[in-house]
Amino acid sequence: MADSSGKSDQAFRTISELAAELGVPQHILRYWETRFPQLKPLQRAGNRRYYRPADVALARRIHRLLNQDGYTVRGVQQLLAKEGGAAEEAPQSSVQMPAQATAAPRLQDFPVEQLRTIRNLLADAIAH
Protein backbone atom coordinates (compact mmCIF):
# COMPACT_ATOMS: atom_id res chain seq x y z
CA MET A 1 0.00 0.00 0.00
CA ALA A 2 1.35 3.45 -0.86
CA ASP A 3 1.07 6.62 1.17
CA SER A 4 -0.16 9.99 -0.11
CA SER A 5 3.25 10.78 -1.67
CA GLY A 6 2.93 7.73 -3.93
CA LYS A 7 5.77 5.89 -2.22
CA SER A 8 5.42 2.33 -1.01
CA ASP A 9 4.99 1.83 2.74
CA GLN A 10 8.30 -0.03 2.64
CA ALA A 11 10.21 2.83 0.97
CA PHE A 12 12.69 4.91 2.93
CA ARG A 13 11.61 8.49 3.68
CA THR A 14 13.74 11.61 3.74
CA ILE A 15 13.50 13.95 6.70
CA SER A 16 11.51 16.44 4.60
CA GLU A 17 9.01 13.76 3.53
CA LEU A 18 8.50 12.53 7.08
CA ALA A 19 8.26 16.07 8.47
CA ALA A 20 5.61 16.92 5.87
CA GLU A 21 3.67 13.73 6.63
CA LEU A 22 3.63 14.42 10.37
CA GLY A 23 3.12 18.16 9.99
CA VAL A 24 6.17 19.06 12.08
CA PRO A 25 9.32 21.02 11.20
CA GLN A 26 12.45 19.04 10.36
CA HIS A 27 14.24 20.30 13.47
CA ILE A 28 11.62 18.55 15.62
CA LEU A 29 12.56 15.20 14.06
CA ARG A 30 16.25 15.95 14.68
CA TYR A 31 15.38 16.83 18.29
CA TRP A 32 13.48 13.56 18.71
CA GLU A 33 16.57 11.70 17.49
CA THR A 34 18.49 13.19 20.44
CA ARG A 35 15.75 12.30 22.94
CA PHE A 36 14.66 8.88 21.71
CA PRO A 37 17.61 6.54 21.08
CA GLN A 38 15.23 4.09 19.40
CA LEU A 39 14.78 6.58 16.52
CA LYS A 40 17.91 6.05 14.42
CA PRO A 41 17.54 6.91 10.74
CA LEU A 42 20.27 5.95 8.31
CA GLN A 43 22.65 8.81 7.63
CA ARG A 44 24.38 9.01 4.28
CA ALA A 45 26.90 11.42 2.81
CA GLY A 46 26.37 14.98 3.98
CA ASN A 47 24.34 13.70 6.96
CA ARG A 48 21.30 13.04 4.80
CA ARG A 49 18.74 11.16 6.87
CA TYR A 50 16.74 8.26 5.52
CA TYR A 51 14.01 6.89 7.74
CA ARG A 52 13.30 3.17 7.43
CA PRO A 53 9.69 1.94 7.68
CA ALA A 54 10.26 1.05 11.37
CA ASP A 55 11.62 4.56 12.01
CA VAL A 56 8.59 6.08 10.27
CA ALA A 57 6.23 3.99 12.44
CA LEU A 58 8.11 5.02 15.59
CA ALA A 59 8.06 8.71 14.61
CA ARG A 60 4.31 8.47 13.97
CA ARG A 61 3.84 6.90 17.38
CA ILE A 62 5.99 9.51 19.15
CA HIS A 63 4.04 12.25 17.39
CA ARG A 64 0.71 10.72 18.43
CA LEU A 65 1.80 10.23 22.04
CA LEU A 66 3.09 13.80 22.33
CA ASN A 67 0.43 15.67 20.39
CA GLN A 68 -2.74 13.62 20.74
CA ASP A 69 -2.37 11.56 23.90
CA GLY A 70 -0.85 14.35 26.01
CA TYR A 71 2.41 12.67 27.02
CA THR A 72 5.50 14.69 27.82
CA VAL A 73 8.84 13.90 26.16
CA ARG A 74 9.93 12.31 29.44
CA GLY A 75 6.74 10.25 29.58
CA VAL A 76 7.26 8.95 26.04
CA GLN A 77 10.90 8.16 26.85
CA GLN A 78 9.81 6.10 29.84
CA LEU A 79 7.05 4.37 27.88
CA LEU A 80 9.40 3.40 25.05
CA ALA A 81 12.10 2.26 27.48
CA LYS A 82 9.57 0.09 29.32
CA GLU A 83 8.35 -1.44 26.05
CA GLY A 84 11.83 -1.88 24.67
CA GLY A 85 11.21 0.79 22.04
CA ALA A 86 8.78 -1.20 19.93
CA ALA A 87 7.77 0.92 16.97
CA GLU A 88 4.53 -0.88 16.19
CA GLU A 89 1.43 1.22 16.38
CA ALA A 90 -0.53 0.16 19.43
CA PRO A 91 -4.29 0.38 19.16
CA GLN A 92 -5.58 3.56 20.80
CA SER A 93 -7.62 1.67 23.40
CA SER A 94 -4.73 -0.52 24.54
CA VAL A 95 -2.23 2.28 25.22
CA GLN A 96 -1.63 2.25 28.95
CA MET A 97 0.10 5.13 30.68
CA PRO A 98 2.81 3.87 33.05
CA ALA A 99 2.55 5.14 36.61
CA GLN A 100 5.89 6.98 36.40
CA ALA A 101 4.80 8.82 33.22
CA THR A 102 1.90 10.60 34.90
CA ALA A 103 3.88 13.79 35.56
CA ALA A 104 1.84 15.70 32.97
CA PRO A 105 -1.94 15.45 33.03
CA ARG A 106 -3.53 14.15 29.88
CA LEU A 107 -5.59 16.49 27.73
CA GLN A 108 -8.85 14.69 28.44
CA ASP A 109 -8.32 15.27 32.19
CA PHE A 110 -8.97 19.00 31.76
CA PRO A 111 -12.42 20.63 31.74
CA VAL A 112 -12.01 21.91 28.18
CA GLU A 113 -15.20 23.97 28.01
CA GLN A 114 -14.43 25.74 31.29
CA LEU A 115 -10.91 26.50 30.09
CA ARG A 116 -12.28 27.93 26.83
CA THR A 117 -14.63 30.17 28.82
CA ILE A 118 -11.73 31.41 30.96
CA ARG A 119 -9.59 31.99 27.85
CA ASN A 120 -12.36 34.05 26.25
CA LEU A 121 -12.83 36.11 29.42
CA LEU A 122 -9.10 36.82 29.56
CA ALA A 123 -9.00 37.72 25.86
CA ASP A 124 -11.89 40.15 26.39
CA ALA A 125 -10.14 41.69 29.42
CA ILE A 126 -6.95 42.21 27.46
CA ALA A 127 -8.82 43.72 24.51
CA HIS A 128 -10.54 46.35 26.68
Side-chain angles (χ1 to χ4, degrees):
M1 181 170 186
D3 71 359
S4 60
S5 70
K7 278 191 168 184
S8 164
D9 288 339
Q10 297 305 310
F12 285 29
R13 303 281 190 275
T14 64
I15 192 168
S16 60
E17 291 169 335
L18 184 56
E21 177 185 327
L22 296 177
V24 298
Q26 294 178 20
H27 73 269
I28 297 295
L29 292 171
R30 289 187 208 101
Y31 172 74
W32 289 352
E33 290 172 24
T34 67
R35 295 294 175 240
F36 304 104
Q38 303 88 344
L39 187 60
K40 289 266 189 214
L42 294 176
Q43 289 193 343
R44 297 289 186 218
N47 280 337
R48 288 179 174 253
R49 289 169 167 79
Y50 292 97
Y51 291 85
R52 297 173 284 250
D55 295 320
V56 171
L58 180 59
R60 286 177 184 147
R61 183 165 185 225
I62 291 169
H63 183 262
R64 180 178 46 79
L65 290 169
L66 290 171
N67 296 302
Q68 294 174 4
D69 295 350
Y71 279 76
T72 61
V73 170
R74 182 84 175 137
V76 175
Q77 288 171 332
Q78 292 173 346
L79 178 67
L80 293 177
K82 179 179 178 185
E83 294 176 353
E88 296 82 33
E89 289 278 344
Q92 292 282 359
S93 61
S94 69
V95 174
Q96 296 295 320
M97 190 177 215
Q100 66 267 32
T102 58
R106 295 171 60 130
L107 184 59
Q108 56 265 33
D109 293 339
F110 288 102
V112 176
E113 288 306 315
Q114 290 175 338
L115 291 172
R116 282 191 183 124
T117 302
I118 293 169
R119 180 185 64 195
N120 293 336
L121 288 171
L122 290 171
D124 288 343
I126 291 171
H128 293 99

